[in-house]
Amino acid sequence: MKRMRSIVILVVLLALVLFGAWWLRGGRTPPVSQAASQIDTATLKDPALIAKGEYLAAVGDCASCHTEQGGARYAGGRVLATPFGNIPAPNITPDRETGLGDWSFEDFWQALHSGKGRHGELLYPAFSYTSFTKVSRDDALAIFAYLQSLAPVHQPAKPLGLGFPYNVRSNLKAWRALYFQEGVYQPDPSQSEAWNRGAYLVQGLGHCNECHAPRDALGGMQNSPSLVGGQIPAQDWYAPDLSMKANGGLSGWSEQDIVDLLKNGQSARGTAFGPMAEVVAKSTQHMHEDDLRAIATYLQSLPPRPLPPEDKSPFDTRPILAQGAKVYAARCADCHGDNGEGVAGIYPPLSGNSSVNEPTGINAMRAVLLGGFSPVTDGNSRPYSMPPFAQQLNDSDVAAVVTYIRQSWSNKASPILERDVIKYRHTPID
């Protein structure tokens, strides 16, 4: 409670200070032009442009957020949980009353690039404009043409679920001043075409940093160094570090491993589950091979990471490791192997697994408790899944087996305690 009160006070103070500075500079939010878009109707109906936009919308995983379970595609309604309250995703079909039917391309570009709504209102960064600002104008036009080609669905927006002071949009001026840098991706001439394409997809339309980066108490991403991993706010999953070099989360992975995971949901080094399974199912499996390899090229360039700090806790893990070894032999070894090696193409290895070794242990705990479910993809239409053990194992057993897995073979991650398991035992999968 004290921590939340401190955050609220900090937000308000930052809003007052930065708003004052902005006002003294003569800053004003320019009104959105009511003039018709320069883009004519024939351009927006070009089949080639629409097809390009459909592909790019899949790359950006737009349907995942803008479609509620059981609802019409792109009609909005899915509620996005944040530490500050719930934010419903809007309808982006071309319905004139509840969607984008009356929007011009300039309105759409302003939202995607500048994080501002049709009437100049500041958008909440649950819409990832902090990454989408890097998307090129040509790609944005293609996405808009595709969205305008959809059948309109009349679905009014759900009410915003933010409490004070987060429901005061003017406070976003302070947040944006701290965390938002507007600008289209600029290619690095010293890098290859494939590297630049991968960087554009990862940093921009793919918005990978939105999950694979730590966030502070105000929800701002810490982007330097890039893609070091972070706990996904309000979802209780950890998106691992994406460096493929020494001590990185994907150390030892090959380009083909990255392509296989993104295309099929499974590779020789690991399996997509949790939020990443949805990303693979709805987005990356539909990407072109050259784009997937471009992403891998970019990830290969991420720098090595420092060695994780050595666990100097006086806690004696020998009893818990002995208990964990017994649980592992009884429940896990048949699939994952006596040495955590897994079975290629079927069961993921646990030795050297980035989701096992991530700092918090959340992913391993949740997989043991709730099961691990790989996505169904065109390349892996009948994936093997891991059953949940929440009913078979008590908190002590779960803590023991997760600690055993995190400290065996090549793994040297920190131990897990019963209190950690209790926290995530009843956390829903989504």
Side-chain angles (χ1 to χ4, degrees):
M1 189 68 186
K2 289 182 179 179
R3 180 172 178 269
M4 180 57 68
R5 191 182 302 119
S6 299
I7 292 173
V8 170
I9 293 171
L10 180 58
V11 169
V12 173
L13 288 175
L14 282 171
L16 291 172
V17 171
L18 291 170
F19 178 76
W22 172 82
W23 184 267
L24 290 172
R25 289 199 305 267
R28 301 288 191 278
T29 301
V32 178
S33 172
Q34 299 301 312
S37 171
Q38 298 297 313
I39 308 301
D40 58 41
T41 303
T43 297
L44 291 177
K45 293 187 176 181
D46 176 14
L49 186 66
I50 291 172
K52 176 183 177 183
E54 182 176 13
Y55 173 73
L56 293 172
V59 173
D61 202 16
C62 305
S64 284
C65 286
H66 291 278
T67 308
E68 67 178 331
Q69 187 172 6
R73 191 169 169 84
Y74 291 108
R78 181 171 182 174
V79 176
L80 307 177
T82 81
F84 314 105
N86 294 332
I87 299 177
N91 182 351
I92 56 174
T93 72
D95 182 68
R96 297 183 70 88
E97 292 183 15
T98 65
L100 305 185
D102 278 342
W103 285 46
S104 69
F105 169 64
E106 296 304 327
D107 295 330
F108 183 76
W109 171 250
Q110 178 174 255
L112 199 71
H113 182 69
S114 304
K116 296 179 182 179
R118 187 179 175 213
H119 302 293
E121 70 275 18
L122 301 180
L123 300 180
Y124 287 100
F127 173 58
S128 303
Y129 60 82
T130 44
S131 295
F132 295 151
T133 187
K134 295 181 182 294
V135 173
S136 72
R137 191 175 174 88
D138 287 346
D139 282 356
L141 176 60
I143 295 170
F144 182 68
Y146 168 64
L147 295 176
Q148 291 294 305
S149 76
L150 300 173
V153 178
H154 186 83
Q155 179 162 298
K158 293 181 179 179
L160 194 65
L162 297 177
F164 181 81
Y166 309 112
N167 59 349
V168 181
R169 284 186 185 265
S170 59
N171 286 339
L172 286 170
K173 293 185 180 77
W175 192 93
R176 289 163 63 97
L178 290 170
Y179 303 114
F180 178 47
Q181 184 172 354
E182 185 176 322
V184 171
Y185 174 77
Q186 299 300 314
D188 184 344
S190 69
Q191 298 287 351
S192 68
E193 182 178 349
W195 185 95
N196 275 294
R197 177 64 175 173
Y200 172 73
L201 293 172
V202 169
Q203 296 177 19
L205 197 54
H207 58 288
C208 303
N209 238 17
E210 302 289 334
C211 287
H212 292 271
R215 291 179 181 267
D216 61 21
L218 297 179
M221 290 185 293
Q222 307 301 296
N223 289 324
S224 183
S226 179
L227 300 168
V228 296
Q231 188 168 340
I232 304 174
Q235 289 193 33
D236 291 326
W237 287 100
Y238 193 94
D241 178 278
L242 295 184
S243 171
M244 298 168 68
K245 293 185 178 174
N247 305 315
L250 303 182
S251 177
W253 285 52
S254 68
E255 176 183 297
Q256 191 61 48
D257 292 329
I258 298 294
V259 173
D260 288 344
L261 183 80
L262 296 178
K263 192 70 176 178
N264 303 319
Q266 191 169 51
S267 77
R269 298 303 302 264
T271 300
F273 64 100
M276 191 63 198
E278 183 179 16
V279 172
V280 171
K282 295 183 177 179
S283 176
T284 60
Q285 73 156 319
H286 304 294
M287 292 176 66
H288 301 153
E289 178 91 3
D290 55 350
D291 276 346
L292 295 176
R293 294 198 178 277
I295 288 173
T297 297
Y298 176 69
L299 295 183
Q300 285 174 325
S301 73
L302 295 177
R305 308 304 193 195
L307 278 169
E310 183 180 351
D311 182 18
K312 297 182 178 180
S313 169
F315 179 64
D316 183 3
T317 60
R318 287 175 296 182
I320 195 172
L321 288 173
Q323 179 186 357
K326 292 178 182 179
V327 176
Y328 184 86
R331 303 284 187 173
C332 314
D334 284 349
C335 293
H336 293 288
D338 292 336
N339 297 308
E341 70 274 18
V343 178
I346 302 176
Y347 305 118
L350 300 180
S351 180
N353 188 307
S354 59
S355 283
V356 169
N357 289 309
E358 54 85 6
T360 65
I362 291 174
N363 292 351
M365 281 187 285
R366 297 199 69 186
V368 171
L369 289 167
L370 304 175
F373 301 95
S374 306
V376 175
T377 61
D378 290 340
N380 190 15
S381 59
R382 300 182 67 183
Y384 288 85
S385 297
M386 175 178 165
F389 288 98
Q391 300 302 316
Q392 289 79 33
L393 301 178
N394 60 32
D395 296 334
S396 175
D397 285 337
V398 174
V401 73
V402 172
T403 297
Y404 174 77
I405 292 168
R406 283 166 60 84
Q407 296 196 346
S408 295
W409 318 302
S410 66
N411 301 335
K412 295 180 174 59
S414 58
I416 297 300
L417 304 179
E418 285 186 51
R419 64 170 179 260
D420 302 318
V421 178
I422 292 169
K423 181 178 180 181
Y424 297 108
R425 176 173 283 277
H426 301 294
T427 303
I429 293 177
D430 290 324

